[in-house]
């Protein structure tokens, strides 16, 4: 069985980070190990959240695993709460690199042209340097703009050429396969675009756009993408499964009159993921 370690926070309630990465990887028949970087009562979009920093636990956990000889098919990082955590993750990458595994960095920092609470330009520069060590990254356009120090263009205010240019610039950071999420060239479709710098090819996947915003969809996308790549799906197939499952989760949410507005009903869509990740 494949084994992935995900390094990100536990938001105890709110359907994001590890509480979505774990069930999604399990549904894809992948063992999911975790290094929790912090414990929050909820994600930071809900006011009054608690925050317990677990930075000092990261290296002892990794050193124990190393002593016991554990290895991983992928290391997948999401929300990181401090510059120190970025430095530590870079160390973890070094310790666990093999010739066959890959690192996926989801540089969670913001959306819609602004930073989430607690992030700034300095943090984005450091995140950019972590991305240098990654095989795959999954920023949205806001995060990509901050890391590249290029202006953020509003939704639909860009062309395909612009997106391809951003992807090539991201690969210039040193990333083999940058992926941009939340891309839309028209009103009706949304998806992801990627550049495989090892072949020079651009790939993309789009599906229906539901004109509402939901929290946690980036984490769902990155978790499925990690799982699909681990299972040997092509970049194109992996993007398509990630886009389709995210849409299915959103549809399940809008069809549920009692849906909570802090995350999406990805649980209801798990049968589709199980089917889609077994071939
Ligand atoms: O969904 C990304 C995410 C993960 N973890 C925490 C967050 C956010 C986004 O706001 O606050 C703690």
């Amino acid at each position: 069985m494949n084994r992935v370690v995900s390094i990100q926070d536990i938001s105890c309630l709110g359907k994001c980070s590890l509480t979505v990465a774990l069930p999604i990887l399990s549904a894809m028949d992948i063992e999911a190990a975790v290094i929790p970087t912090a414990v929050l009562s909820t994600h930071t979009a809900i006011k009054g959240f608690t925050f317990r920093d677990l930075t000092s636990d990261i290296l002892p956990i990794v050193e124990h695993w190393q002593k016991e000889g554990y290895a991983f098919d992928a290391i997948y990082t999401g929300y990181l709460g401090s510059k120190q955590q970025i430095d530590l993750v870079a160390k973890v990458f070094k310790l666990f690199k093999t010739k066959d595994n890959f690192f996926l960095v989801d540089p969670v920092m913001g959306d819609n042209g602004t930073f989430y609470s607690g992030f700034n330009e300095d943090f984005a520069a450091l995140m950019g340097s972590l991305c240098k060590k990654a095989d795959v990254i999954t920023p949205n356009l806001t995060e990509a703009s901050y890391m590249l120090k290029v202006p953020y263009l509003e939704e639909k205010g860009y062309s395909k050429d612009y997106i391809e240019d951003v992807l090539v610039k991201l690969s210039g950071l040193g990333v083999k396969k940058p992926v941009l999420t939340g891309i839309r060239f028209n009103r009706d479709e949304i998806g992801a675009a990627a550049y495989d710098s090892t072949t020079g090819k651009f790939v993309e996947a789009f599906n229906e756009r539901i004109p509402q915003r939901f929290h946690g969809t980036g984490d769902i996308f990155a978790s499925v993408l990690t799982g699909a790549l681990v299972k040997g799906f092509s970049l194109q197939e992996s993007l398509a499964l990630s886009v389709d499952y995210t849409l299915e989760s959103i549809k399940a949410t809008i069809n549920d009159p009692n849906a909570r507005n802090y995350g999406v009903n990805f649980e209801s869509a798990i049968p589709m993921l199980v089917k889609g990740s077994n071939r």
Side-chain angles (χ1 to χ4, degrees):
M1 183 180 262
N2 293 115
R3 183 195 287 134
V4 169
V5 56
S6 185
I7 310 177
Q8 48 185 326
D9 70 281
I10 298 178
S11 288
C12 298
L13 177 144
K15 302 199 197 194
C16 69
S17 44
L18 285 180
T19 63
V20 311
L22 282 172
I24 285 176
L25 291 167
S26 300
M28 298 178 82
D29 197 22
I30 292 167
E31 176 187 344
V34 300
I35 301 180
T37 53
V39 176
L40 294 83
S41 52
T42 64
H43 54 63
T44 58
I46 298 179
K47 71 173 187 314
F49 61 88
T50 68
F51 187 100
R52 178 164 308 273
D53 185 80
L54 297 178
T55 304
S56 60
D57 287 290
I58 296 176
L59 274 188
I61 290 171
V62 167
E63 282 162 3
H64 178 212
W65 290 349
Q66 279 235 298
K67 227 184 259 164
E68 295 295 319
Y70 295 114
F72 300 94
D73 297 302
I75 300 180
Y76 154 39
T77 70
Y79 181 99
L80 297 172
S82 66
K83 295 177 186 171
Q84 201 191 345
Q85 288 189 349
I86 293 185
D87 291 341
L88 281 171
V89 163
K91 267 194 195 143
V92 177
F93 280 0
K94 232 180 179 168
L95 291 172
F96 283 123
K97 186 64 197 154
T98 68
K99 66 176 186 3
D100 298 317
N101 67 5
F102 69 88
F103 302 146
L104 185 144
V105 172
D106 184 10
V108 177
M109 291 181 290
D111 206 357
N112 309 315
T114 55
F115 281 116
Y116 296 136
S117 157
F119 296 111
N120 57 30
E121 275 83 1
D122 287 351
F123 189 91
L126 263 184
M127 189 59 100
S129 63
L130 181 65
C131 288
K132 275 184 202 150
K133 303 183 168 72
D135 300 287
V136 183
I137 62 171
T138 56
N140 57 35
L141 266 182
T142 302
E143 292 154 347
S145 307
Y146 280 128
M147 288 193 296
L148 294 173
K149 300 189 174 73
V150 299
Y152 168 75
L153 295 189
E154 288 292 326
E155 283 180 342
K156 281 204 306 130
Y158 46 75
S159 62
K160 200 163 171 150
D161 283 350
Y162 173 79
I163 294 302
E164 293 188 351
D165 184 49
V166 172
L167 284 168
V168 170
K169 284 196 171 105
L170 287 170
S171 78
L173 291 175
V175 189
K176 280 198 203 88
K177 298 175 187 178
V179 177
L180 276 172
T181 63
I183 300 303
R184 49 185 279 225
F185 296 119
N186 58 55
R187 293 182 47 200
D188 304 324
E189 287 189 320
I190 189 160
Y195 175 56
D196 184 344
S197 68
T198 64
T199 60
K201 287 209 170 92
F202 293 96
V203 292
E204 53 183 44
F206 289 90
N207 206 327
E208 182 188 344
R209 170 176 168 259
I210 309 285
Q212 272 186 58
R213 292 190 179 284
F214 295 92
H215 198 275
T217 49
D219 300 353
I220 290 170
F221 181 95
S223 301
V224 179
L225 187 70
T226 304
L229 291 171
V230 161
K231 294 194 75 120
F233 285 54
S234 70
L235 186 57
Q236 159 67 42
E237 290 168 331
S238 302
L239 287 188
L241 183 62
S242 309
V243 167
D244 294 351
Y245 179 66
T246 305
L247 171 64
E248 197 74 8
S249 303
I250 291 173
K251 281 187 171 165
T253 314
I254 56 172
N255 290 330
D256 174 3
N258 299 314
R260 305 283 178 181
N261 71 0
Y262 53 60
V264 293
N265 289 12
F266 71 92
E267 301 91 336
S268 308
I270 278 181
M272 176 256 183
L273 184 61
V274 171
K275 228 165 129 196
S277 53
N278 282 300
R279 43 167 195 184

